Amino acid sequence: MNKSKIKNIIFFVLIGVLIIPQTRLPIQVLLHKSLALFSPSVVDDSKQNVIEEYNWVLENKNGITLNFEETRGKVVLVNFWATWCPPCIAEMPSMQLLYDDYKDKIEFVFVSNETFLVINEFINKNGYNFEVYNPITRYPELFNVTSIPRTFLINKDGSIVIDKTGAANWNSEKIRETIDTLLL
């Protein structure tokens, strides 16, 4: 076989694997994991938006509501995600590791529009233990979520320090140093 035939065979195998539904999601997640090796960047101080409107109500799987107003004055990580979203799935292990170490220091607000039946199955299957919320009212306008995952790290003054769309490594030293600085 010559090089051209080998390349064609590889190409058709890859296309075939991407077409088959059972293999598409794992391949997409793997691709996004490789892209999520990098930490998100901190927004320059002069370009940081400040949340003025905290009027947002969410509900967890037990029906307990969280008024986003309760997070005012705290360091908060808000993550919009879904169980079917490959980049969301790719970044979740790093989110869980960050949550494990910072759950008692900052507020984590994981938000999904899916049913809790679907969310809980995903959370249990993957061994995650963070709380997930469904929005009851519309999120603050500054969040402007048009694609997921979308993650915001907010300081105590309500400034959005990190605004990241797409998968990222949330368990990096850079993120941990940023959070530690915000906690001072």
Side-chain angles (χ1 to χ4, degrees):
M1 279 196 186
N2 63 23
K3 266 187 172 178
S4 179
K5 283 186 178 183
I6 293 172
K7 286 181 183 178
N8 285 340
I9 290 171
I10 291 171
F11 175 76
F12 285 114
V13 167
L14 284 174
I15 295 299
V17 166
L18 288 174
I19 291 173
I20 301 168
Q22 292 84 355
T23 58
R24 185 179 321 134
L25 183 63
I27 289 171
Q28 289 174 332
V29 170
L30 183 62
L31 174 66
H32 284 285
K33 278 188 180 185
S34 65
L35 296 173
L37 294 175
F38 303 101
S39 301
S41 300
V42 173
V43 176
D44 184 73
D45 287 347
S46 64
K47 296 180 181 177
Q48 290 179 3
N49 291 315
V50 179
I51 298 173
E52 302 289 340
E53 180 61 48
Y54 280 78
N55 188 21
W56 184 30
V57 180
L58 304 110
E59 183 177 64
N60 71 10
K61 66 183 176 189
N62 298 318
I64 298 170
T65 59
L66 167 71
N67 186 329
F68 196 62
E69 179 69 39
E70 297 169 29
T71 68
R72 189 187 294 262
K74 300 177 182 178
V75 176
V76 184
L77 187 137
V78 178
N79 175 258
F80 293 89
W81 69 285
T83 62
W84 51 262
C85 164
C88 302
I89 296 167
E91 76 176 3
M92 276 299 150
S94 71
M95 285 285 193
Q96 179 64 54
L97 291 170
L98 187 69
Y99 175 81
D100 289 342
D101 290 343
Y102 285 90
K103 64 184 171 212
D104 297 326
K105 299 174 185 170
I106 73 172
E107 297 293 320
F108 286 87
V109 182
F110 291 93
V111 183
S112 177
N113 285 327
E114 295 175 285
T115 67
F116 283 114
L117 182 66
V118 171
I119 293 168
N120 292 338
E121 182 179 319
F122 176 84
I123 294 288
N124 294 334
K125 174 182 160 194
N126 291 288
Y128 299 139
N129 62 352
F130 46 78
E131 192 75 59
V132 179
Y133 297 92
N134 280 157
I136 301 298
T137 61
R138 182 155 171 71
Y139 53 77
E141 195 62 38
L142 272 181
F143 289 157
N144 190 26
V145 179
T146 55
S147 64
I148 56 174
R150 182 87 182 263
T151 306
F152 301 89
L153 182 62
I154 305 162
N155 71 13
K156 293 176 184 178
D157 297 327
S159 295
I160 297 174
V161 177
I162 294 177
D163 177 350
K164 173 68 175 149
T165 300
N169 178 8
W170 291 96
N171 190 41
S172 69
E173 279 303 311
K174 180 180 172 184
I175 294 298
R176 290 170 171 271
E177 288 170 7
T178 301
I179 291 173
D180 290 341
T181 301
L182 296 176
L183 288 170
L184 296 176

